[in-house]
C-alpha cells in the first residue's frame, strides 16, 4: 500500500498536498483499490467556496459511486480535466496524474487536523 509520508490524509481517504496557499486533493491508494476500476470523476463545485467535510464531487467505479469530501475549507480553483478522458488515472497514479482538485484554502489551522501518514496507516490497518 502506497502512503507517501509528505502528504496529509483524511478519515474519508482523501490525500492533501500543500503547495503555498493551494491544497491539491485526490483519493488515496487504499481508496482506489477498495473502489476498483474508476470510470468517472465528477466535480461540479469548481469556483465554489465550500467548508471542510462538504461534498465536492463524486467518483464512480464499476460497482459503486462514492462521495468526495473537501478536507479543507476554501475555494475550488481547479479540476483535473484530464480525468474526464482518463478517469483510470486515479487507479494507476492516485498521487500523481490522478489528482482531482486544487483548493485555495481559507483556514491554514485546519491543516493541523489532518492525519499524518502514520495515523492514516493506523486508520486503515496498514
Amino acid at each position: 500500500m502506497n502512503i507517501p509520508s509528505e502528504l496529509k490524509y483524511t478519515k474519508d481517504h482523501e490525500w492533501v498536498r500543500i503547495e503555498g496557499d493551494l491544497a491539491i486533493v485526490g483519493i488515496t491508494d487504499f481508496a482506489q483499490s477498495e473502489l476498483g476500476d474508476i470510470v468517472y470523476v465528477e466535480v461540479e463545485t469548481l469556483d465554489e467556496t465550500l467548508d471542510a467535510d462538504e461534498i465536492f464531487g463524486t467518483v464512480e467505479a464499476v460497482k459503486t459511486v462514492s462521495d468526495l469530501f473537501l478536507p479543507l475549507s476554501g475555494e475550488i480553483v481547479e479540476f483535473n480535466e484530464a480525468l474526464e478522458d482518463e478517469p483510470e488515472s486515479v487507479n494507476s497514479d492516485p498521487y500523481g496524474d490522478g489528482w482531482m482538485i486544487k483548493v485555495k484554502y481559507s483556514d491554514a489551522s485546519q491543516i493541523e487536523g489532518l492525519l499524518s501518514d502514520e495515523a492514516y496507516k493506523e486508520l486503515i490497518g496498514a
Side-chain angles (χ1 to χ4, degrees):
M1 190 65 51
N2 184 12
I3 303 171
S5 61
E6 71 275 9
L7 302 178
K8 295 290 190 179
Y9 300 89
T10 71
K11 61 181 176 27
D12 297 308
H13 310 290
E14 283 88 19
W15 59 263
V16 181
R17 178 183 301 117
I18 303 297
E19 292 185 358
D21 64 350
L22 291 179
I24 301 167
V25 179
I27 65 169
T28 65
D29 190 30
F30 174 81
Q32 70 79 21
S33 68
E34 292 291 303
L35 288 168
D37 292 337
I38 293 171
V39 295
Y40 189 66
V41 177
E42 181 175 55
V43 173
E44 293 185 345
T45 52
L46 188 61
D47 299 325
E48 291 183 23
T49 299
L50 302 175
D51 290 329
D53 299 324
E54 281 195 83
I55 295 171
F56 72 83
T58 56
V59 60
E60 184 176 336
V62 174
K63 296 179 182 175
T64 189
V65 175
S66 184
D67 289 332
L68 298 166
F69 298 94
L70 195 62
L72 301 168
S73 299
E75 180 185 358
I76 298 172
V77 296
E78 189 175 339
F79 168 62
N80 182 357
E81 293 181 5
L83 297 179
E84 291 178 352
D85 295 324
E86 296 177 6
E88 65 275 7
S89 296
V90 176
N91 292 116
S92 62
D93 191 10
Y95 303 113
D97 291 340
W99 68 274
M100 295 181 174
I101 61 168
K102 292 184 181 179
V103 179
K104 186 175 174 86
Y105 59 89
S106 57
D107 184 354
S109 70
Q110 291 178 338
I111 296 168
E112 301 296 316
L114 298 173
L115 302 174
S116 67
D117 60 316
E118 291 301 320
Y120 185 69
K121 286 176 188 174
E122 192 173 302
L123 176 77
I124 63 172

